[in-house]
Amino acid sequence: MSGIRTDLTGQVAIVTGSTSGIGAAMAEALAENGAHIVLNGLGDADEIEALRAKIAAHHGVEVRYHGANMLKADEIADMVATTEKEFGRLDILMNNAGIQHVSPVEDFPVEKWDAIIAINLSSVFHGARAAIPIMKRQGKGRIVNLASAHGLVASPFKSAYVAAKHGVMGFTKTLALEVAEDGITCNAICPGYVKTPLVENQIADTARARGISEEEVVRDVMLAAQPTKQFITYEQLAGALLYLVSDAGANMNGSWISVDGGWTAK
């Protein structure tokens, strides 16, 4: 899928929020390169099983599913512990799960704020906290956090998301310093707008609501911040991920890769 090859044969990866969208694509990219996968996320049980079976069959790896709720620290810890119990190791943790809500601060629902901080930020801590002892015993591990361009810059009406993603960036740097001598790296990927199914579904609705063409929605509304005026692709994000988990990326630590079409260069 990614066009980039790095040998992950025998390695084990957890990708949170991987039953659809970016997470599913990242899980498949890792599987394509030989890693066994633990999927996690929400969705219809039959659809999740179909995804699990497809990745396993296409890439000849073991693929499991764990339904840990990213709002619950004990379930996240159980997901990590179960992975070690079933596979005997954990090499890669990709913290991908995330949600969004758009509202002015004075109208921002408290429950939405709490959920975004919990899922987008606190779950990163809980996953890493559980994974680090395993990785230390192995003498090697890779933690990759999906941040965002909004981990580096802000946009109005996205206070919880921006706060959480800035927090992810700070956590990434701090953890990297703590584990730098243990063979473990911690880095982030900061995408701009990615053409996920959710985004695709919004294009036509936005065009109707604003009375403009779908092309204008993409160029002038969704991609106004991205100088290339192009969506980021799954393949481009997979390329960044594979570099960070490969031996070539072993000295990339406490840093990030911006895949944002030049957004944060401004």
Side-chain angles (χ1 to χ4, degrees):
M1 179 204 125
S2 65
I4 294 175
R5 299 295 301 179
T6 187
D7 188 6
L8 303 177
T9 302
Q11 295 194 33
V12 177
I14 295 173
V15 183
T16 67
S18 53
T19 51
S20 64
I22 293 172
M26 299 304 98
E28 184 152 15
L30 294 170
E32 182 184 18
N33 286 270
H36 303 302
I37 304 295
V38 176
L39 298 172
N40 159 263
L42 304 176
D44 177 81
D46 290 339
E47 292 179 0
I48 292 171
E49 172 55 24
L51 175 65
R52 187 207 64 75
K54 183 195 81 168
I55 295 174
H58 284 190
H59 303 297
V61 297
E62 292 290 322
V63 183
R64 311 287 171 81
Y65 168 75
H66 193 289
N69 186 331
M70 292 295 107
L71 290 167
K72 299 181 178 180
D74 59 337
E75 293 189 15
I76 296 170
D78 181 73
M79 175 178 64
V80 174
T82 299
T83 299
E84 185 187 27
K85 181 179 179 181
E86 294 189 3
F87 288 101
R89 60 187 304 110
L90 174 60
D91 301 276
I92 299 164
L93 170 64
M94 184 176 188
N95 291 302
N96 168 79
I99 60 172
Q100 173 67 287
H101 183 77
V102 180
S103 175
V105 168
E106 66 269 26
D107 299 323
F108 212 100
V110 172
E111 66 275 11
K112 291 290 187 182
W113 173 277
D114 290 344
I116 289 171
I117 297 300
I119 293 172
N120 294 26
L121 175 57
S122 295
S123 73
V124 176
F125 160 75
H126 293 305
R129 182 177 184 273
I132 288 167
I134 301 170
M135 293 178 174
K136 282 186 174 180
R137 288 195 293 271
Q138 295 169 176
K140 184 179 180 182
R142 299 284 186 266
I143 297 174
V144 180
N145 300 322
L146 192 79
S148 168
H150 281 124
L152 303 169
V153 297
S155 293
F157 312 121
K158 299 180 179 180
S159 57
Y161 188 85
V162 171
K165 293 302 186 180
H166 273 66
V168 168
M169 297 300 287
F171 179 76
T172 297
K173 296 174 187 178
T174 300
L175 180 57
L177 296 176
E178 292 186 12
V179 298
E181 296 185 23
D182 297 303
I184 304 169
T185 65
C186 182
N187 294 288
I189 300 173
C190 297
Y193 281 101
V194 183
K195 198 170 186 179
T196 63
L198 180 63
V199 168
E200 288 181 344
N201 292 337
Q202 292 174 357
I203 294 174
D205 292 341
T206 302
R208 285 192 296 270
R210 291 176 176 254
I212 59 179
S213 69
E214 292 188 11
E215 291 75 16
E216 288 173 308
V217 169
V218 171
R219 185 187 68 241
D220 300 330
V221 179
M222 291 186 169
L223 298 183
Q226 289 182 198
T228 59
K229 305 303 180 190
Q230 296 177 358
F231 284 107
I232 311 306
T233 68
Y234 293 148
E235 289 80 8
Q236 290 159 357
L237 295 181
L241 173 62
L242 291 174
Y243 168 67
L244 291 175
V245 302
S246 72
D247 289 341
N251 244 339
M252 186 87 165
N253 195 33
S255 191
W256 63 90
I257 299 176
S258 290
V259 189
D260 63 11
W263 180 350
T264 55
K266 295 187 292 182

